[in-house]
Amino acid sequence: MKAEKFVPLEGFDVKDGETMTARSKEFFEMMKNRRTVREYSDKPVPREVIENAILTAGRAPSGANKQPWHFAAISSAEVKTALREAAEEEEREFYGGRASDEWLKDLEPFGTDANKPFIETAPWLIAVFRETYGLDEETGERSTNYYVHESVGIACGFLLAALHNAGLATLTHTPSPMGFLSKICGRPNNEKPIMLIVAGYPEEGVQVPNIDKKSLEEISTWI
């Protein structure tokens, strides 16, 4: 039997204004406490937590529902060591001359450098790839993906929110170039790496930069 093109919307619970306001405030208060963490405990995190977070990311909207993303979840100590070695090699180039003086000055408040111990310490790494075009595994035929950057960006936002909601700290690491991620993770040529997300428990006593976010007035216009 041919599948229907459209089906009834299920699972949408209509809420009154007061309930929506309370829920939106509760979610904001939770997300307001999200901070980028660079020092991690090696305390294990159940695989199911990471699975559920990735499944949440997979529910993000995408151009023509092509879902042009792939998430490589990494817990292997051997793979993490290889990733750290490759990432630090690129980072030494970055801090040693590839980055502009302006960029390095902007990074000063965060105290970052070429050393990335969190890649080995944190229990989970998630390498995120964007699928530049679809590729049929059997025929090798290509297909077009739409709004790839936007779609994957939204999915990454879902993923970070899901990890924070679960009780984990995160870090988005974007070494440049990052072709080594494709090689180490064994991803095909139609996928390009965009970031490495570190996830785990923060190390006891960890400190974070004393920074704030822009206000509602600075980031929005009401017309």
Side-chain angles (χ1 to χ4, degrees):
M1 180 181 296
K2 186 177 180 180
E4 295 290 338
K5 288 186 176 181
F6 293 90
V7 296
L9 174 64
E10 294 181 352
F12 189 91
D13 183 16
V14 178
K15 299 172 179 63
D16 59 58
E18 183 177 349
T19 300
M20 287 192 294
T21 300
R23 285 168 60 92
S24 65
K25 178 67 172 177
E26 180 182 359
F27 186 76
F28 167 65
E29 290 298 333
M30 179 193 69
M31 293 303 296
K32 185 173 70 173
N33 293 324
R34 189 209 66 80
R35 293 298 303 266
T36 293
V37 171
R38 291 183 170 82
E39 297 175 45
Y40 287 84
S41 163
D42 60 1
K43 180 181 177 181
V45 171
R47 171 173 167 159
E48 188 174 3
V49 174
I50 305 302
E51 289 178 350
N52 289 333
I54 291 175
L55 284 170
T56 299
R59 305 305 294 184
S62 61
N65 197 37
K66 289 299 188 80
Q67 304 165 65
W69 45 62
H70 184 86
F71 305 94
I74 302 156
S75 61
S76 163
E78 181 180 357
V79 174
K80 287 193 287 186
T81 296
L83 285 172
R84 179 182 179 181
E85 291 174 353
E88 289 186 340
E89 182 178 350
E90 296 296 349
E91 292 292 271
R92 284 191 291 271
E93 292 288 333
F94 175 83
Y95 286 95
R98 186 183 294 155
S100 66
D101 290 340
E102 180 182 11
W103 196 343
L104 292 177
K105 182 175 177 58
D106 286 338
L107 288 173
E108 284 180 2
F110 306 101
T112 59
D113 57 29
N115 298 308
K116 309 298 176 184
F118 50 76
I119 294 179
E120 287 188 288
T121 307
W124 288 97
L125 307 174
I126 304 173
V128 183
F129 297 85
R130 58 177 173 84
E131 189 181 82
T132 56
Y133 56 88
L135 191 63
D136 189 291
E137 293 183 358
E138 294 184 0
T139 66
E141 183 177 355
R142 294 190 181 192
S143 59
T144 303
N145 288 334
Y146 310 98
Y147 301 108
V148 174
H149 289 86
E150 296 87 344
S151 300
V152 179
I154 296 170
C156 287
F158 274 37
L159 178 56
L160 292 169
L163 291 167
H164 181 71
N165 180 64
L168 298 177
T170 58
L171 165 70
T172 54
H173 181 46
T174 54
S176 179
M178 60 180 80
F180 65 88
L181 282 173
S182 298
K183 182 178 180 180
I184 293 175
C185 295
R187 301 313 304 161
N189 291 334
N190 65 319
E191 293 180 6
K192 302 300 179 186
I194 66 165
M195 73 175 68
L196 185 66
I197 295 177
V198 183
Y201 296 101
E203 186 178 80
E204 186 175 352
V206 67
Q207 294 189 329
V208 295
N210 183 19
I211 58 175
D212 200 359
K213 298 295 185 181
K214 293 181 179 180
S215 67
L216 178 64
E217 290 72 25
E218 293 174 291
I219 66 172
S220 65
T221 300
W222 302 77
I223 302 171

